[in-house]
Amino acid sequence: MSREDNNRYLRSVANNQLRKLPILGRLGSHPFLKLLLLWGVLLALYAGFYVFFSNPSPMSGDGAGSIPAPRLQWEMGKQLLTYAALFFALMGASLGWRQFQAQKARRKEAEALQQPGPEAHLRLTDELLPPTSPFPDVDLLRAQRRALARVLYGQDALARHELNAVNWRGKAPLLQAMERGTDALLHMLCKDDPEQALTLAREALSLADLHPAVPGAKQGRVFYDVLVHSAEILAGQVTPEGMRTLEHHHEVSSLIVIRLVSAWSLRAASTQVKDAERAERMRQFLQTHAPHCAPLHRLPTAEA
């Protein structure tokens, strides 16, 4: 049921956001189809006007000033190619701008984690997701980000307070997964309770189920996947697949939190199997990227 509920929720969010736009909100139900439909109508109107005003008028006699048909088709084709090129250029610029903004946000998050406390990370949340943001369920997104920052700095009671300040009941499974996942991380980093962390992480992974065709479906589950394999390591359930998964996400993920949690778990696993070289490499990574996040700089009690 989680997948169907999540897909329904995402469709609802997309439609609600697009309805706020003056034109696209009155077109089809799929964002990409809306864009294609809008441009198709505009190009059709342009072609119609071009042909109408370029052809000789029936009242113009012999049509001495008319444009020959082959030339008309060539001129029209060039104009259509120009508009198509402009369309793809605008789309590329839009995607490039979004990518730039995402990289800027990730850079600011990395800088915030260099500070001695979570305040910089909390201010970043206010910048990226202000309380007045019209984005759906912004209060839940803010609570999850604020709680995550406090967990990384060992403020478990305040993290729990952030999560309890909003109502997660009755929300889409995808949203409930955020609360479960943050609580799982809290039990790993702050409470040395890998069994409860594993239970919560598995629940979060199940709740975050999405249809593979949904853009970002796989990436959206990476955080919960990392939590599950990390909790398995701490619970003494190390598997080669889990280790490979953590190593992969630590190397390729663009999200610093995923890399930090993976590094912490890999350090714990390396200590278990007495792989001093990798354990030291992970320790240095944590020291470099999160020097003041105390929970990330200690091994779980069972491994200390």
Side-chain angles (χ1 to χ4, degrees), residues 46-58:
Y46 167 77
F49 277 106
Y50 190 92
V51 171
F52 179 80
F53 287 109
S54 297
N55 280 333
S57 170

Side-chain angles (χ1 to χ4, degrees), residues 8 85 161-162 169 186 262 287-288:
R8 193 179 306 114
H161 176 74
E162 297 281 2
R169 281 191 174 184
L186 186 153
S262 298
Q287 182 62 39
T288 299

Side-chain angles (χ1 to χ4, degrees), residues 14-274:
N15 288 334
N16 287 338
Q17 292 297 102
L18 287 169
R19 286 193 193 101
K20 298 175 183 178
L21 300 177
I23 297 178
L24 293 182
R26 293 176 173 80
L27 299 178
S29 60
H30 300 286
F32 186 66
L33 291 181
K34 290 185 179 191
L35 193 60
L36 289 181
L37 179 58
L38 176 61
W39 275 86
V41 170
L42 292 177
L43 289 175
L45 287 173
Y46 167 77
F49 277 106
Y50 190 92
V51 171
F52 179 80
F53 287 109
S54 297
N55 280 333
S57 170
M59 303 297 295
S60 62
D62 59 0
S66 64
I67 302 176
R71 181 184 171 190
L72 172 63
Q73 294 173 359
W74 170 242
E75 291 293 331
M76 181 178 173
K78 287 197 300 183
Q79 292 288 341
L80 290 176
L81 286 175
T82 300
Y83 276 92
L86 178 62
F87 166 70
F88 286 110
L90 290 174
M91 288 289 291
S94 176
L95 292 174
W97 175 251
R98 292 184 63 181
Q99 183 67 19
F100 170 76
Q101 290 293 90
Q103 290 177 352
K104 183 179 178 182
R106 288 195 290 267
R107 185 173 64 253
K108 287 186 175 182
E109 184 172 25
E111 293 171 355
L113 288 170
Q114 295 292 316
Q115 303 305 310
E119 290 75 21
H121 207 288
L122 298 177
R123 287 194 298 270
L124 180 59
T125 295
D126 289 336
E127 178 184 335
L128 299 177
L129 290 170
T132 56
S133 170
F135 198 81
D137 297 302
V138 67
D139 56 331
L140 304 183
L141 300 176
R142 283 174 49 82
Q144 192 265 350
R145 280 187 58 93
R146 292 175 63 87
L148 181 61
R150 296 193 181 281
V151 167
L152 293 177
Y153 282 88
Q155 299 179 354
D156 54 319
L158 290 175
R160 190 64 256 176
H161 176 74
E162 297 281 2
L163 293 175
N164 291 341
V166 296
N167 182 19
W168 300 91
R169 281 191 174 184
K171 299 297 183 179
L174 191 64
L175 299 175
Q176 295 183 42
M178 297 191 306
E179 190 264 347
R180 297 286 208 291
T182 307
D183 203 14
L185 188 61
L186 186 153
H187 278 79
M188 276 195 291
L189 293 181
C190 303
K191 294 186 177 298
D192 288 327
D193 189 351
E195 296 294 342
Q196 180 64 10
L198 182 56
T199 298
L200 290 166
R202 285 173 174 168
E203 289 179 5
L205 184 62
S206 175
L207 289 169
D209 190 23
L210 287 170
H211 192 282
V214 175
K218 185 176 180 180
Q219 292 85 344
R221 289 166 57 87
V222 167
F223 178 60
Y224 307 114
D225 198 28
V226 166
L227 290 177
V228 168
H229 292 301
S230 298
E232 287 176 345
I233 286 175
L234 304 183
Q237 303 177 23
V238 183
T239 64
E241 178 189 358
M243 292 292 290
R244 285 194 298 268
T245 298
L246 290 173
E247 289 172 348
H248 172 74
H249 292 316
H250 173 70
E251 292 296 330
V252 307
S253 178
S254 60
L255 300 179
I256 186 62
V257 170
I258 289 177
R259 300 190 69 196
L260 289 172
V261 175
S262 298
W264 182 75
S265 306
L266 288 169
R267 183 188 174 202
S270 301
T271 302
Q272 290 181 20
V273 299
K274 303 190 184 310

